[in-house]
Amino acid sequence: MRLVRLRSLVGESRRNVATGPLRSVVHGAVLSAIIAAAALLDTLTIAGLERQAEAFRAAGGATRVLSSPDAVDRARCESLPGTAGFAGSGSLTQRESIALLEPGSSAIPVFEVSPGLASRLGIADTGRGGVYLTTTFATELGADSGTRLMTREGPVTVLGTFAPGPRDGAASRLSSALVSIVPATGTAGECWADIWPAGRDRDPLLLTALSPDAPSKETSIDPLNPVVGQEFSGASAFDQRTSRFAPAAAAVGALLLGVVYARARRLELAGSLHAGASRAFVTGTLLVEAALVGLPALAIATLTHGLGVLASEGAVSALPPASALTAVTAAAMFVVGVGAAASAVRESDLFALFKAR
């Protein structure tokens, strides 16, 4: 008996949707727009914050430099990524400058970096003796991989090139210099450490890169690029983003849309009650009908979200878990709104609704 009633209820809902396609399409489109707008707003806002974080790190804002002449233990510096908060590290030491044999050439700075810093700079270690140049400096010298630079100390082989770092701060010293890779042994003058989330709270741990046997010398910790600041406010920006209200707004909007959908059918619902249909059957019919409208709207909203992300970010992205929860919640609230408004209709309202039609 219950199966027969369920079939009857689903059949009635399907017929209602089929006989009122415009009503279903309009409400489905509005619901889809509410869900897609909320999901897109939050997704794109978060993507913007992620781009800011990437730009901050690329500019060296998340890198702290421990400076202490010949007092930095290369092995200790290299091991910092094993500590929470350190994303990468490596040491650097400046050696005596050398000059090319070309007439009028000025002295070129020379730096030694440990493997960790070489990796951070994007240097592909060939494992052979020689130097690496930034792409801009290599162009100035007319050098490429395999080029032998004739210096006053003898020939030097160029093993490869790497992209120049930020123009501001300590990284700019490498833009026009010869860089060689040395093992992570002995002492160096600096330790570069990538700290994420960026901040000064890891400075005490960074001091552990100092050699315990080195004599006490002047020590400082500075940002690699002070122009972009020493801390990234991404966490607070995320917590305070306007789009955090999008899920609640979508839920309320979908709930009100469901109420409107059912209230527009009050005369029909009161007529069904007057004709002898039970309240459970009438409300259940509208709930199934709401689901038949909400599910396609949910699918269309998901597709719209993907196309919107593709158009703005240039990449296909699935609905993030938070946005997916927002979408499902909004669709559910639409059904709740329909059910709440439908259950509020009384048979006694029929004649008043008929007169006000």
Side-chain angles (χ1 to χ4, degrees), residues 66 86 90 148 252:
L66 167 66
F86 290 91
R148 291 169 65 85
V252 173

Side-chain angles (χ1 to χ4, degrees), residues 183-194:
T185 57
T187 59
E190 297 178 11
C191 179
W192 293 18
D194 291 333

Side-chain angles (χ1 to χ4, degrees), residues 267 270-271 274 346-357:
L267 178 59
H274 184 69
R346 300 288 183 268
E347 179 185 352
S348 57
D349 299 331
L350 176 63
F351 297 106
L353 291 171
F354 184 79
K355 289 181 180 180
R357 75 189 188 282

Side-chain angles (χ1 to χ4, degrees), residues 8-20 285 288-289 292:
S8 177
L9 187 149
V10 173
E12 182 67 17
S13 300
R14 182 179 55 80
R15 285 189 293 272
N16 287 343
V17 172
T19 55
T285 299
V288 173
E289 188 177 333
L292 293 177

Side-chain angles (χ1 to χ4, degrees), residues 22 92 94 131 137 153 159 164 177 191 196 224 235 289 297 307 323 335 345 357:
L22 181 61
L92 176 142
Q94 184 169 2
V131 298
F137 191 41
E153 284 74 19
L159 301 177
C191 179
W196 195 253
L224 178 67
E289 188 177 333
L307 293 176
S323 297
V335 177
V345 178
R357 75 189 188 282

